[in-house]
Amino acid sequence: MAHLWPDNFPDPQVIVTGRDGDQAYLAIATNAGGCNVPTLWSSDLQTWRAGDDALPALASWTLPGKVWAPEAARFADRWVLYYTTRGPEDGRQCISVATAERPEGPYRDVSEAPLVYEDEVGGSIDASPFTDTDGQSWLTWKNDGNAVGVDTWISIQRLASDGLSLLGEPVRLIKQDLAWEGHLVEGSYLWHRDGRFHLFYSANAFASADYAVGHAVAEAPDGPYLKDPDPILVSNEVAAGPGHCTLFEQGGRTWMVYHAWQPGAVGQAPGRSLWLSEVHFGADGSVRVDPPAR
């Protein structure tokens, strides 16, 4: 399994769920095709069909057009969707939150203000929830520093038990400091395996073949993290600029879903399509990802 959907479907997440009593796979992504949060459905991870807009209406304080990188997680008896959208004042990006009874929505955002809004450092994007084995939930995100010429940081902060508010203070985890990362890091996703916390992230310009997935590891969710010196998923002859990944488990295996451009058409139509690769964890904390393949 590799190339799942040929059309534009950037910043994807796949959720293993049940629908009408049968196991199903739900994919959500950045705004496309007239939807704030487009969805896809599959029963086998191979054949997909388009679903409804998971977020048909936005919060009253924002505007459509820049709804990016949605991620959903279950908290008790409801689902919580974190998404990037326009801020209420200066138009910089921020993070909001919506809830629904089912993972596919429809989600409703009744907030009166953003959940995270770091306008002084470019805004806030790419929120990703994570729940540890002890039941504590966290949120990671990126300040959009490359939009205003400052550093980009992946930060983490504890979430309340309902997922709708933040606790304590944020902790900065990593920034762009390796040559291959260019001017930014973004698209964080946290995964726990065998007592270690694996931080997956993307770096470099998204509309270039240099965009790639990096990896860092720590002994606690809030770090400190040690980065791999080189990216773990890069462009090849079938997929260019792979990035903004999320992970899920199925069949005793761990899978990474991500987007990539067609080689020779980076930054052009049909856009960033949906890809899948298997992730392999080493006993020493190392990670290997199968390269994109047709």
Side-chain angles (χ1 to χ4, degrees):
M1 287 178 282
H3 196 196
L4 303 185
W5 185 255
D7 297 328
N8 193 40
F9 204 78
D11 307 330
Q13 179 190 17
V14 166
I15 299 168
V16 182
T17 184
R19 193 180 197 194
D20 300 326
D22 296 322
Q23 180 173 284
Y25 302 92
L26 168 69
I28 62 175
T30 279
N31 55 208
C35 295
N36 291 316
V37 177
T39 64
L40 298 175
W41 284 100
S42 176
S43 60
D44 58 7
L45 283 177
Q46 299 181 48
T47 302
W48 295 80
R49 63 177 181 82
D52 297 327
D53 190 343
L55 185 65
L58 304 178
S60 60
W61 48 262
T62 189
L63 295 171
K66 290 187 176 181
V67 178
W68 301 342
E71 281 193 33
R74 188 169 184 170
F75 287 83
D77 60 349
R78 65 180 171 182
W79 285 81
V80 178
L81 179 79
Y82 304 89
Y83 67 98
T84 301
T85 189
R86 300 172 195 255
E89 297 176 2
D90 54 19
R92 290 179 181 158
Q93 296 293 87
C94 63
I95 294 163
S96 193
V97 62
T99 60
E101 295 181 357
R102 297 165 67 94
E104 68 269 28
Y107 287 88
R108 185 177 179 218
D109 187 341
V110 297
S111 64
E112 297 180 355
L115 179 66
V116 185
Y117 194 18
E118 301 164 299
D119 56 342
E120 71 282 2
V121 285
S124 308
I125 69 172
D126 295 352
S128 180
F130 167 76
T131 299
D132 198 359
T133 53
D134 63 2
Q136 175 62 62
S137 295
W138 303 77
L139 192 72
T140 63
W141 71 88
K142 165 212 174 180
N143 75 286
D144 204 18
N146 51 290
V148 294
V150 301
D151 285 336
T152 60
W153 284 92
I154 303 296
S155 294
I156 192 169
Q157 192 167 349
R158 290 187 299 130
L159 278 166
S161 59
D162 62 2
L164 300 181
S165 61
L166 294 163
L167 304 174
E169 297 296 326
V171 175
R172 286 179 164 180
L173 302 182
I174 62 169
K175 70 172 185 175
Q176 78 291 348
D177 55 13
L178 298 176
W180 74 266
E181 296 170 340
H183 298 296
L184 63 90
V185 292
E186 61 187 15
S188 55
Y189 192 80
L190 196 55
W191 190 260
H192 185 209
R193 173 64 66 90
D194 298 330
R196 295 185 178 93
F197 296 87
H198 299 269
L199 182 67
F200 297 89
Y201 66 96
S202 296
N204 218 297
F206 82 94
S208 79
D210 293 326
Y211 201 60
V213 175
H215 168 258
V217 66
E219 295 182 359
D222 53 355
Y225 280 86
L226 177 63
K227 286 183 181 179
D228 291 6
D230 299 307
I232 59 171
L233 184 67
V234 299
S235 297
N236 65 9
E237 67 278 3
V238 299
H244 204 119
C245 70
T246 59
L247 277 65
F248 66 97
E249 287 186 334
Q250 187 58 23
R253 301 158 79 180
T254 304
W255 301 96
M256 175 183 287
V257 61
Y258 54 96
H259 67 236
W261 304 91
Q262 291 183 4
V266 176
Q268 306 174 33
R272 293 166 287 173
S273 57
L274 184 62
W275 288 78
L276 184 72
S277 291
E278 188 170 0
V279 183
H280 308 273
F281 292 89
D284 60 353
S286 62
V287 168
R288 178 176 61 85
V289 181
D290 291 345
R294 292 288 183 187

